[in-house]
Amino acid sequence: MERIGPLLLVEGRNKSKVPFSRSLYINCQDKVLIDTGAEPEALVNLKLQYGVDLIINTHYHPDHTLNNHLFKDTPTWINPIEFKTARSVDSIAKLNGIYQEWGPSGVELFRKSVPKEWTENLSNISGCYQYEKEYRFGDVNVIFLHTPGHTKGFSCPYFPDLGVVFVGDYDMTTFGPWYNGTDGDIEEFISSAKRLLSLDVDTYITGHQKGVFSKQEFHEAMYRYLEIINRRDQEIESLVKKGLNFNELVRIGIFYPKESLKEPIFQTWERVGIRKHLERLNLTVPGANNEYLITS
Ligand SMILES: [Zn+2]
């Protein structure tokens, strides 16, 4: 297990790739576990060996709340926005674009497909932390930066004294930035990225794949990562110029590999993502409107 001062990096399965993620364990007098997407065996071992006093979720996504259910009697906090908006299946369906794209019948199908454990993981959440406030766990200071864009409530735990920030889904993967829920926002994603780059830190820890980045590595990776947003813009713009309508656009595979678009949830996120770029580019295409867009 990699260690940075009092912080232990707990790996998730398959290099912490989605649908798993990396957890961060603060090993001081107060034992705090940030995100629960790591290997359940490793998490249970930590609990047995040192204990876990508090669980913190950076945001509500299932790969970051994955094993909340292993800590039933432990206080579990999430960010204040998602404490209000992301704790029922109906609200999750809205935040993921299910209602916007497919209406009530889609929500009904989604409800049947949600694993029992995920609802359990969300119902485990008992409170929320405040953004931008300095918390002291043992001798470790942490501030939960509000860094919206990936989701509205997304936060990055920042350890000013250690010169470390846990950037979670600013994961620097080749997939690129993810803002494909209805609560995701491209402009906010970019401005939160800039804020992360401006921090006085030596070490960035991502929630998926590579993990530990030096300041310089992270700055370079972020440049390439944000470039993917421009690439998506350009691809969509040229397809629209060729005359593709919305239903044709969403079958190309701008975000997800074409073959994975058979999966309803990927298809939904593909549609939501393309809508965001069309809006950003100020483009309208035939077939993009539906009755649920107005009511969602
Ligand atoms: Zn996420």
Side-chain angles (χ1 to χ4, degrees), residues 59 61 63-64 150 169:
H59 64 305
H61 281 160
D63 50 333
H64 297 260
H150 174 68
D169 281 324

Side-chain angles (χ1 to χ4, degrees), residues 190-258:
I190 296 168
S191 44
S192 293
K194 287 185 181 153
R195 182 172 185 203
L196 294 174
L197 293 176
S198 76
L199 296 174
D200 182 19
V201 294
D202 306 314
T203 308
Y204 290 84
I205 304 170
T206 65
H208 301 286
Q209 302 190 37
K210 178 168 151 60
V212 179
F213 288 71
S214 70
K215 185 173 197 152
Q216 196 189 341
E217 282 173 333
F218 191 75
H219 276 243
E220 287 167 7
M222 183 69 95
Y223 177 78
R224 290 192 294 272
Y225 191 63
L226 295 180
E227 257 309 296
I228 297 173
I229 298 176
N230 295 330
R231 212 159 69 211
R232 290 169 182 162
D233 266 348
Q234 286 155 11
E235 192 178 356
I236 291 168
E237 192 166 26
S238 83
L239 290 167
V240 171
K241 277 193 184 141
K242 281 185 192 151
L244 269 69
N245 65 33
F246 189 67
N247 282 324
E248 290 164 336
L249 271 180
V250 299
R251 278 189 228 118
I252 300 284
I254 312 279
F255 291 88
Y256 289 93
K258 202 177 161 74

Side-chain angles (χ1 to χ4, degrees), residues 25 31-36 43 47 52-58 64-65 67-78 121 124-127 129:
Y25 181 76
K31 312 292 184 188
V32 181
L33 179 67
I34 302 182
D35 285 349
T36 59
L43 295 178
K47 179 170 138 177
V52 172
D53 301 318
L54 175 65
I55 303 281
I56 284 178
N57 292 141
T58 54
H64 297 260
T65 50
N67 290 304
N68 280 7
H69 63 97
L70 295 176
F71 301 90
K72 279 203 173 58
D73 303 319
T74 309
T76 301
W77 295 353
I78 196 166
N121 289 334
N124 241 38
I125 295 167
S126 51
Y129 45 86

